[in-house]
Amino acid sequence: MTAFDTGPAFLSMTEAAEAFARGEVTAEALVRACLARIEAHDRRVNAVIRLDREEALERAAALDRQRAAGALLGPLAGVPMMHKDMYYRAGRVSTCGSRIRRDFVPETTATVLQRLDAAGAIDMGTLNMAEFAQNPTGHNAHFGHCRNPWNPEHCPGGSSSGSGAGVAARFFHAALGSDTGGSIRLPATLCGVTGLKGTQTRVSRHGVMPLSFSCDNVGPLVRTARDAARFLRVTAGHDPKDPTSSREPVPDYEAALTGDLRGLSIAVCETWFLEDADAPVLAAFEAALETLRARGARIARIRVPCLAAVNAYTAIISRVEGATIHAAWMRERAADYAAHLSARLYAGYAIPAHYYVEALSRRGPLLRQFVAEALTGHDLVATPTLRTRVPTLAETNVDADPANWSRFMAVSANTRPFNYLGLPTVSVPCGFDDRGLPVGLQLAGRPFAEATVLRAADAFQRETDWHRRAPPL
Amino acid sequence: MMEPDLVTSAAEAIRRWSGIAMPNEAARRSLADLTAIIAEVEKVRAGMAFEDEPSGFEAALRDTKEPGR
């Protein structure tokens, strides 16, 4: 069966771009296929906040005319996308998933949106998300909970919930998420798609709602590692409007996707990441390691003592920075937040300042230590993205029952450390649990080693078809 | 779980320092759950210290890149 057998919406991002470039499909056909999926199924998924139907069709028609005229178009030309509702576009409402910003109209456009526009992508609108990107489950009290397209009783993952659920549901070919503690990789794993968090500073954050200045990252949720490679090449690179963005050269990530893992060493940290993992998750993870081994990778089991400190500091930074950003609203409009969010922010004000300063000061040394302990002699670290089976929305609903707090916070246990460490990390689907929900494999590499991370993810996807499976909506 | 009197004193410190009142019952739970972070900090306290030397995170990102990059 080819991807076309199930319609243009089922093409991956790069397949759609290449089909458009070859004249095998029009941009209008791609947009209409996606719109039809949204209209048929979003009542069940609730991924979309705002659908810019007419603007998308106009943009598609313009791209079709340009291609027919022989114009040189960008590497994402004709591809319908939608983005988490926290990427600012001048003159358009960006709710950030909140009541507080329900009518917020920014005056600037995010650099990453400008780069996607320049590459020819078609922006169809905005997506549901955790309120202010502050939960890992996908609950949203203001726009309704986004739901997992594999089973609507289960969490889609957050905070980029609509991005993960929508890519999985074949509503569009790619979506921007953001990742401060796992908010790209969690919805990717819970919904069965591919999500990439680049090296800290790899992608500009200009025009993006901040959550934590130190740990925020911009990145894609897509179907394949190849999609992520192309998306990253378009969006990465220094931006004068974001002085923190890296000046490291941006390589051709797709050129690195050779399928060959011979000589690559992958470390499995037996500390932290596998503790109390559910059996179906462990089974899928071990099977994924075997697949990587079959492709030529060497698998090593290691222990990483510095993870205890990494985890202690990780929690401190994001809590304190989030609390700081929201202080004025917490004084004046606390009742406008969902209960779980105001509660989470509130605790951030109790953390002593000296620990926050220390957490920042130790970040560089702990990165060096982690690289020495885990990535010296090894190219990548592999973990399950989520240790447990995908939880239900009910059992992680803190607003309904504060006793769910620990389960709610545990969702991001395996993703948070890589935000503190700033390392490039991808999550790819690697199976299903005993309830039919996806399981994810997380791969992390050294700073700016996105090409190596994606090479391994792509090689894995050449051997498996988990990323090709769509939920039966 | 944080002892009730510690929750009360932390809430009072937040009110005085930040001008923010406890918004709801879940916030009490969230505050009490800081015990988990405190426990993690306690475990690594012996190895924790402010760095005497300049140690920028961005420099560490550059210095620990893949060999050959």
Side-chain angles (χ1 to χ4, degrees), chain A residues 200 248 308-309 311-313 315 319 330-331 339 342-344 346-347 349-350 355 357-358 361-365 367-368 402 405 421 446-449 452, chain B residues 11 14 18-24 26-27 29-31 33-34 37 40-41 44-45 47-51 55 57 59-61 63-67 69:
Chain A
Q200 191 75 41
E248 281 289 314
N311 286 310
Y313 288 135
R319 287 291 194 88
M330 280 292 285
R331 282 185 207 102
S342 58
R344 182 175 179 168
Y346 182 70
Y349 303 106
Y355 277 131
V357 173
E358 187 173 287
S361 83
R362 292 284 295 155
R363 198 177 182 198
L367 170 57
R368 293 176 197 274
W405 189 264
L421 295 167
R446 283 182 177 238
F448 302 103
T452 304
Chain B
I14 292 170
S18 305
I20 293 169
M22 186 180 288
N24 49 44
R29 170 82 59 155
S30 172
L31 203 54
D33 273 5
L34 282 180
I37 297 179
E40 287 184 3
V41 169
V44 298
R45 187 168 280 154
M48 291 165 69
F50 196 86
E51 290 292 305
S55 56
F57 175 63
L61 284 176
D63 292 348
T64 56
K65 286 187 299 189
E66 278 182 320
R69 266 191 57 87

Side-chain angles (χ1 to χ4, degrees), chain A residues 431-454:
Chain A
F432 291 86
D433 66 24
D434 54 329
R435 297 188 292 196
L437 276 296
V439 178
L441 166 69
Q442 181 172 237
L443 297 167
R446 283 182 177 238
F448 302 103
E450 283 86 356
T452 304
V453 169
L454 290 167

Side-chain angles (χ1 to χ4, degrees), chain A residues 98-116:
Chain A
S98 69
R99 175 179 294 163
I100 287 172
R101 279 195 158 177
R102 187 175 278 271
D103 301 315
F104 170 64
V105 180
E107 296 179 352
T108 188
T109 297
T111 295
V112 67
L113 289 185
Q114 293 179 31
R115 289 180 178 179
L116 291 170

Side-chain angles (χ1 to χ4, degrees), chain A residues 137 139 392-411, chain B residues 29 33:
Chain A
T137 53
H139 290 91
T392 66
L393 284 160
E395 68 196 11
T396 50
N397 190 336
V398 179
D399 293 343
D401 183 357
N404 290 326
W405 189 264
S406 297
R407 193 177 286 125
F408 170 83
M409 293 301 292
V411 172
Chain B
R29 170 82 59 155
D33 273 5

